[in-house]
Amino acid sequence: MKKTLSCSFIFYFNLFICLAGLASCAAQPEKAGREPVKVIFDNDMGNDIDDALAIDMLYKYADAGIIDLIGITSNKVEPASVEYIDILNNFYGYPDIPVGRLTGVEQYDRPNSYALQTAADPSYKRSIGNYDSLPESVDLLRRLLAAQQDSSVVIIATGFSTNLARLMDSKADASSELDGMELIRRKVKHLHMMAGDFRQENPIQEHNVVFDIPAAQHVYDSWPTPITTSPFDVGEKILYPVESILNDFGFTDKHPVVEAYKVYKKMPYSRPTWDLTSVLYAIEPDSGYFEVVGPGRVHVDGKSITTFTPEAGGPHFYLAADSLQRERIRNRFVEIITREPAALSRETER
């Protein structure tokens, strides 16, 4: 018999967790009463479907007033990457979120990506008339950071480090008299990355590192704020359930994330949640979903292998999760992603 995860199941599961003392209901960000966190999402939308699931979470956090998603930058050169982001911004009711694109590099791109296939559907609403006119991601990053208060911005990076490295090397411009390193030092509170593999035995050449090794090295060697990394093995062990994709989105006839999921690989499949783990910890760091290892330092060698060395006062940390935490994390993902977007709810009320 096929099992499905319903919203009611998730509700009672989380209620049980709270009553059992395994998690604090007060730790949930909806209850925290904090000012919205300023978030920039830097991603390689179109390579793996986890980017699409991750950005869904960010829109839902924005719906709840937990974050202010101030900008989205793509580090993927395929034009459909930013077009798909534009489609998502409109679908979720955030058409004015600025988008940046990457050009000028030869970079790995998956041909016929889910972004390209979904963007081929003309029925999805768009706001950007000319994607070639979008600012370079590094220019948008500089403009966004310059406009924020000091130590107020969280960057979540779930793709290559190209844009981050370009930001570090950027010079003073019309947006700010500060160079990139000083702008980051002043404005960024924390960088959260999905990257690397810190297992001592048989670590892999992780995707987000291997296709721009110099950029990853530059970021881990010199980025001037704390970095928390969610490594490959964490998200690999937490699968987003295909049953949810098939059953939990009846609130709309056509969902651009669900449709993209269906064309990314031959259905049915449950996909690892690499990028989602960085989003979850960045926005809910005090909810006990992860163990945090550190402080220390991450090193990226010339073959893209990452290692972590403990160091008192070091700037780097990484995430780990046991089996119980992984179950809680997966259920939290389903709970958030299956919520009806606020924009659709408002349309229904009309």
Side-chain angles (χ1 to χ4, degrees):
M1 179 181 296
K2 183 181 291 184
K3 296 182 180 180
T4 62
L5 286 173
S6 67
C7 292
S8 61
F9 171 83
I10 297 299
F11 171 82
Y12 286 110
F13 179 86
N14 285 337
L15 179 62
F16 167 77
I17 291 294
C18 290
L19 293 175
L22 295 176
S24 170
C25 292
Q28 297 297 330
E30 290 87 346
K31 306 292 185 181
R34 300 180 299 221
E35 288 296 315
V37 178
K38 304 288 186 180
V39 173
I40 296 173
F41 185 48
D42 184 60
N43 64 90
D44 60 343
M45 191 70 70
N47 272 340
D48 198 300
I49 195 62
D50 57 335
D51 285 280
L53 294 170
I55 200 171
D56 176 283
M57 293 177 65
L58 291 172
Y59 293 124
K60 304 299 177 52
Y61 284 129
D63 285 349
I66 298 164
I67 71 168
D68 181 4
L69 185 55
I70 63 174
I72 303 169
T73 51
S74 173
N75 52 54
K76 184 173 164 63
V77 299
E78 180 184 69
S81 178
V82 289
E83 184 175 3
Y84 182 68
I85 291 169
D86 183 29
I87 288 170
L88 295 179
N89 277 349
N90 280 272
F91 178 81
Y92 287 92
Y94 297 94
D96 297 326
I97 292 177
V99 178
R101 62 177 301 210
L102 176 68
T103 63
V105 296
E106 292 185 9
Q107 191 180 69
Y108 172 82
D109 281 303
R110 287 193 177 134
N112 200 27
S113 71
Y114 67 82
L116 183 64
Q117 294 182 74
T118 309
D121 186 339
S123 68
Y124 290 117
K125 186 178 179 181
R126 294 141 166 95
S127 296
I128 300 169
N130 180 7
Y131 296 103
D132 290 338
S133 69
L134 288 174
E136 282 287 335
S137 289
V138 63
D139 296 331
L140 179 59
L141 288 169
R142 287 188 58 83
R143 176 162 60 85
L144 293 171
L145 291 177
Q148 306 308 314
Q149 296 181 354
D150 289 355
S151 301
S152 66
V153 178
V154 168
I155 297 178
I156 304 173
T158 62
F160 316 120
S161 296
T162 311
N163 289 333
L164 301 179
R166 286 186 173 189
L167 174 62
M168 294 169 70
D169 292 338
S170 64
K171 305 302 180 184
D173 60 7
S175 295
S176 174
E177 63 184 10
L178 304 176
D179 66 21
M181 291 294 283
E182 186 59 26
L183 188 60
I184 296 165
R185 187 177 291 109
R186 294 251 192 117
K187 303 297 184 177
V188 176
K189 180 179 180 180
H190 207 110
L191 170 61
H192 296 267
M193 298 179 67
M194 190 278 122
D197 182 358
F198 304 125
R199 292 175 291 189
Q200 294 185 355
E201 295 185 4
N202 301 316
I204 68 161
Q205 294 174 296
E206 194 275 319
H207 178 88
N208 288 344
V209 176
V210 72
F211 289 103
D212 196 341
I213 296 172
Q217 291 173 324
H218 191 24
V219 169
Y220 278 116
D221 287 347
S222 303
W223 184 269
T225 78
I227 301 174
T228 298
T229 300
S230 183
F232 179 85
D233 63 294
V234 173
E236 180 190 31
K237 297 174 183 176
I238 306 168
L239 302 182
Y240 193 87
V242 67
E243 293 87 355
S244 175
I245 295 294
L246 294 173
N247 299 309
D248 289 340
F249 298 89
F251 50 75
T252 184
D253 292 334
K254 188 165 58 174
H255 194 301
V257 171
V258 172
E259 297 307 312
Y261 193 105
K262 290 178 179 178
V263 301
Y264 175 64
K265 292 182 64 178
K266 184 178 179 180
M267 290 285 281
Y269 68 96
S270 295
R271 190 65 179 160
T273 56
W274 294 291
D275 295 348
L276 289 69
T277 57
S278 278
V279 170
L280 181 62
Y281 181 73
I283 310 304
E284 302 190 45
D286 302 320
S287 295
Y289 290 112
F290 301 93
E291 298 297 328
V292 182
V293 181
R297 286 191 181 272
V298 173
H299 174 71
V300 181
D301 72 13
K303 296 182 179 179
S304 80
I305 299 299
T306 53
T307 55
F308 181 87
T309 303
E311 177 187 310
H316 301 157
F317 305 82
Y318 74 88
L319 304 180
D322 62 26
S323 58
L324 179 58
Q325 288 171 315
R326 292 195 296 269
E327 182 73 10
R328 289 188 59 220
I329 291 166
R330 185 193 68 162
N331 291 330
R332 182 62 171 156
F333 289 158
V334 175
E335 178 190 5
I336 294 171
I337 291 170
T338 57
R339 291 177 184 171
E340 182 175 357
L344 296 187
S345 298
R346 290 191 293 269
E347 288 181 5
T348 302
E349 290 172 359
R350 295 194 195 108

